[in-house]
Amino acid sequence: SLSRFMGLLCAAFVLAIVVLRLLISSGNVVMPYAVWSLAEVYNILMLMHFWTYANKVFDPREGKRMFPIVGAAGLVGMIVGSSVTPMFVNAFGSNNLLLGWAGMVILAIPPLRLSAAAARKSGVILAGTDDSGETVAENWRSLFQIPLVRTLAMIAFPMWITAWLVDYQFFHALDEVYKEQDSLAGFLGVFNGLSSLAGLILQFFVTGRLLQTLGVGGTSILYPGVVAASAVGLCARSMMPVVPGKVYEPRSILGIAGKFSDETLFGSVHDSAIAVLFSSLPDENRARARALLNGAMEPMATAVAGILLLVLGRFHAPPIVFASLTLAMCLVWIGLALRIKKDYLRALVANLNSRN
């Protein structure tokens, strides 16, 4: 079942995290890459299976009511985690954050089992197998015949390439300010807490109104629009002189602002809009479409972004190149997002007209 698979997945990640913590003291040059790779695999797999599980537990009507609450709970967790990170680092060192991570994953297993038991009592079938008999290629072909899924899959590439370009410039800005690992970890804890708090405020007081006034189409354009504005700031930042050791200088602020806007809107406005978009799909396509986007499109886009960053780094591209590429990707993203409203309405009408 899905719940049993997620429990095994949690156990596997705990083991991998603990092994990495034991190996990190070796000082091997590959360890930072190994930790980063594990974190990315964790985010992709756990989020994909979590939302697949949630779509099994809640029907569309329940999902519209519960998913914003679940998202808000996640933001609260990020705020709490970010708040305790500086204290944890001061007490135990940044390397032992891995053990804290493993402990949090372990604490997630009992609620998972309780929710699975409650779902079974309500008659929910948590089988995780696909009974369609389709191959992966056939599954993808059938999903790409749905205009909304096709548009979201195309958006995934400029969206994630933009996210990684912004991320690179964010850490480049921090490298100019922080030279000690523990100081950097402490700042990142505060930054993540503030961005999560801003996302939580948006989730509770703004996102719902945006969806009601702008609709899901207009709301879907807002996220890339704000990130595009921050990309303009990154272009301006690239022409400013470097002031080492000062995080409150305009050059540093513009580098941090790009990441702040991306993190804040992704976890609030974007996630809520995506949940509404998926609710327009039939039940049998909803989980498959999410698996396609999170399990295939996102990793492929991340790989393209990684290759792009390696090439730019190899040729020592100046900051203005990174900023200009970020702005260009945002414009492509906005152009594709303009199609969402039409595709959403088509999917919704088709779903309402179906026999299910």
Side-chain angles (χ1 to χ4, degrees):
S1 69
L2 278 173
S3 59
R4 184 174 300 140
F5 177 77
M6 286 190 65
L8 292 174
L9 198 60
C10 288
F13 274 116
V14 168
L15 179 61
I17 294 166
V18 172
V19 169
L20 272 183
R21 176 60 190 94
L22 295 175
L23 294 175
I24 204 169
S25 301
S26 65
N28 194 302
V29 294
V30 304
M31 292 312 299
Y33 303 100
V35 173
W36 183 87
S37 299
L38 180 64
E40 287 306 304
V41 171
Y42 176 87
N43 285 331
I44 291 172
L45 289 181
M46 291 302 293
L47 284 176
M48 179 178 68
H49 289 292
F50 172 81
W51 286 113
T52 300
Y53 176 75
N55 276 313
K56 285 282 186 180
V57 171
F58 301 112
D59 62 32
R61 181 177 297 176
E62 292 170 337
K64 288 181 180 179
R65 179 171 55 89
M66 294 302 301
F67 288 165
I69 298 174
V70 173
L75 290 171
V76 170
M78 293 177 67
I79 293 170
V80 174
S82 300
S83 301
V84 302
T85 294
M87 294 182 287
F88 190 98
V89 169
N90 290 333
F92 305 106
S94 55
N95 287 344
N96 287 319
L97 283 171
L98 288 171
L99 298 180
W101 177 14
M104 291 298 102
V105 177
I106 292 172
L107 290 177
I109 296 176
L112 171 64
R113 298 185 65 179
L114 289 173
S115 68
R120 290 191 189 97
K121 285 184 179 179
S122 301
V124 176
I125 300 174
L126 296 175
T129 57
D130 184 3
D131 297 327
S132 65
E134 293 181 335
T135 64
V136 173
E138 291 171 340
N139 183 26
W140 283 27
R141 255 195 311 270
S142 65
L143 287 172
F144 273 104
Q145 289 176 359
I146 304 171
L148 178 60
V149 175
R150 189 164 60 243
T151 297
L152 291 175
M154 289 189 292
I155 285 175
F157 278 86
M159 183 182 79
W160 285 107
I161 291 172
T162 298
W164 289 117
L165 285 170
V166 169
D167 194 68
Y168 179 89
Q169 292 167 94
F170 170 67
F171 281 102
H172 183 270
L174 295 185
D175 282 342
E176 296 174 352
V177 177
Y178 295 101
K179 304 302 179 183
E180 295 182 0
Q181 178 177 309
D182 287 353
S183 298
L184 176 60
F187 172 82
L188 289 174
V190 174
F191 172 85
N192 288 330
L194 291 175
S195 61
S196 298
L197 179 60
L200 184 64
I201 293 172
L202 284 176
Q203 185 80 344
F204 275 122
F205 302 108
V206 179
T207 301
R209 294 182 181 180
L210 286 175
L211 288 169
Q212 290 175 358
T213 56
L214 300 179
V216 70
T219 304
S220 298
I221 297 171
L222 180 65
Y223 174 32
V226 173
V227 178
S230 70
V232 174
L234 290 172
C235 291
R237 171 188 178 272
S238 66
M239 294 179 279
M240 296 178 179
V242 178
V243 182
K246 295 191 176 182
V247 74
Y248 299 113
E249 289 295 321
R251 178 182 171 91
S252 300
I253 290 173
L254 288 173
I256 293 168
K259 181 68 172 176
F260 185 85
S261 62
D262 180 44
E263 288 285 328
T264 300
L265 291 172
F266 181 83
S268 55
V269 174
H270 171 75
D271 279 356
S272 295
I274 286 292
V276 174
L277 290 172
F278 275 127
S279 70
S280 69
L281 298 174
D283 182 59
E284 64 270 16
N285 288 334
R286 201 172 299 131
R288 295 164 60 210
R290 192 178 285 278
L292 170 68
L293 295 176
N294 296 128
M297 296 297 109
E298 180 184 341
M300 285 193 288
T302 298
V304 172
I307 294 170
L308 179 62
L309 289 171
L310 284 173
V311 171
L312 293 176
R314 175 69 179 80
F315 290 97
H316 306 289
I320 186 63
V321 173
F322 290 92
S324 299
L325 277 174
T326 304
L327 181 58
M329 287 294 102
C330 285
L331 295 178
V332 174
W333 180 4
I334 291 172
L336 291 170
L338 291 171
R339 301 167 53 176
I340 283 180
K341 180 179 179 179
K342 180 180 70 174
D343 292 341
Y344 167 74
L345 291 175
R346 289 173 63 183
L348 186 61
V349 170
N351 193 14
L352 290 174
N353 288 334
S354 67
R355 289 184 299 171
N356 185 352

